Amino acid sequence: MKSFRKELWFEIPRRRQLTNITDEVSKCLRASGVREGLCLVNAMHITASVFINDDESGLHHDYEVWLEKLAPEKPHSQYHHNGAEDNADAHLKRTIMGREVVVAITAGALDLGPWEQIFYGEFDGMRRKRVLVKIIGE
Amino acid sequence: MKSFRKELWFEIPRRRQLTNITDEVSKCLRASGVREGLCLVNAMHITASVFINDDESGLHHDYEVWLEKLAPEKPHSQYHHNGAEDNADAHLKRTIMGREVVVAITAGALDLGPWEQIFYGEFDGMRRKRVLVKIIGE
Amino acid sequence: MKSFRKELWFEIPRRRQLTNITDEVSKCLRASGVREGLCLVNAMHITASVFINDDESGLHHDYEVWLEKLAPEKPHSQYHHNGAEDNADAHLKRTIMGREVVVAITAGALDLGPWEQIFYGEFDGMRRKRVLVKIIGE
């Protein structure tokens, strides 16, 4: 069994942004040499997400509006976590979007459906944060 | 290490429906010959979900009502994704329900709790769509 | 390839509670002898969750308030699942929080970010329930 590990680092210049990382994950897969296996991609921070959906700007606008409706940022005073911090909403938004994806590896490629793209979802940016790519297989 | 891959195809005759696919996933596992490992089951489309919960019609009704409350289909004009499409709500509903499940394989069987059943959640049906089953182990 | 399986049992003395299980999962990993691989941790019951977030009491209070807003327990009569049962809200709350996490194993340790902690989220307690830890790797 082979294994491969890499951290992808990000410093998003705003509080919230969705970034397509499919190509970077594919590069990890090629570097791993794995042909059949599983690829775990997870946020290493608890106010960010890795998820799979469509790379379409209208939909990304809809996500922003929808997440603000379900877990609004302000007023900060509505959250107890904000005793010390102002990012409780980012923990909740990431909970909806999910921490991780597991992607099948088949014949040396990410085994994705026709519109599946992997995203890094930042909900508390303007600092250096990272994503873990872990690949196991043969 | 063994690996196994199969696509399960669906054409759901309505927009939204939850379909129990536990038996089909179990058949994949038997075909794989894997006794110990992991089984990934994921929607290959971004308006559908694979999730685990109870096979109980009252609860499935509750899911329908609840998802329509959190991410209503209409009016379509509330979503920017609907510039070209009318299924933004399906992307959001699937986000709540999740893209994938990873199930342990123990002694050649899906290692599920007493009420755990695997479902395909369709939120934009009336077209052919598929689920990926990927199994690795020994 | 090595594999390891253990059930963690819980009897939470109230309906809802978040319990940090990171140390128990780490013990499983040490017992497995796996150095490189993947660790699946999933609730075996469909009214409970395994998720990763911060071990901070203010945030845990925020989760309780937020989940009650998105999927309120009462009135029980609002749910069809409550024909026979009073825990429909627990199925919905667990859906938001997620069934499982997959954690990378690197150099014999859980490969977690600086604030990542693994939690058992109980939403229908006062009974014996369990979590599955399944580890594969080498």
Side-chain angles (χ1 to χ4, degrees), chain A:
Chain A
M1 197 197 79
K2 287 179 182 171
S3 71
F4 176 91
R5 177 195 195 272
K6 190 173 180 188
E7 294 178 0
L8 309 177
W9 284 83
F10 301 91
E11 186 166 0
I12 303 296
R14 57 186 63 79
R15 187 173 172 104
R16 288 191 288 275
Q17 184 175 294
L18 308 183
T19 303
N20 190 332
I21 61 171
T22 314
D23 286 351
E24 292 181 74
V25 177
S26 290
K27 272 181 212 159
C28 291
L29 178 52
R30 284 194 293 275
S32 76
V34 169
R35 303 280 303 165
E36 297 290 328
L38 294 177
C39 177
L40 168 69
V41 191
N42 69 266
M44 298 188 79
H45 298 260
I46 52 191
T47 52
S49 168
V50 172
F51 69 96
I52 285 180
N53 217 296
D54 198 359
D55 196 352
E56 197 274 307
S57 64
L59 181 67
H60 292 191
H61 170 91
D62 294 334
Y63 270 124
E64 165 65 19
V65 171
W66 182 64
L67 290 171
E68 266 294 283
K69 190 177 74 172
L70 293 186
E73 180 190 339
K74 295 177 181 174
H76 293 158
S77 61
Q78 75 191 291
Y79 299 113
H80 283 213
H81 189 48
N82 292 333
E85 310 205 49
D86 68 354
N87 64 0
D89 72 298
H91 292 266
L92 305 182
K93 288 179 168 95
R94 115 71 180 262
T95 299
I96 290 175
M97 299 303 288
R99 168 188 179 260
E100 78 212 13
V101 296
V102 178
V103 179
I105 301 165
T106 303
L110 296 173
D111 199 340
L112 295 170
W115 299 100
E116 287 196 302
Q117 295 286 300
I118 308 171
F119 286 90
Y120 174 64
E122 177 62 83
F123 304 109
D124 185 32
M126 296 179 283
R127 65 198 74 191
R128 278 171 57 75
K129 293 163 79 168
R130 57 202 157 120
V131 162
L132 179 62
V133 181
K134 183 85 185 191
I135 294 169
I136 68 165
E138 277 187 353

Side-chain angles (χ1 to χ4, degrees), chain B residues 7 9 19 33 35-36 40 56 58 66 69 72 95 108 110 120:
Chain B
E7 294 178 359
W9 285 83
T19 302
R35 303 280 302 167
E36 296 291 327
L40 168 69
E56 197 276 307
W66 183 63
K69 189 178 75 172
T95 299
L110 297 172
Y120 174 64

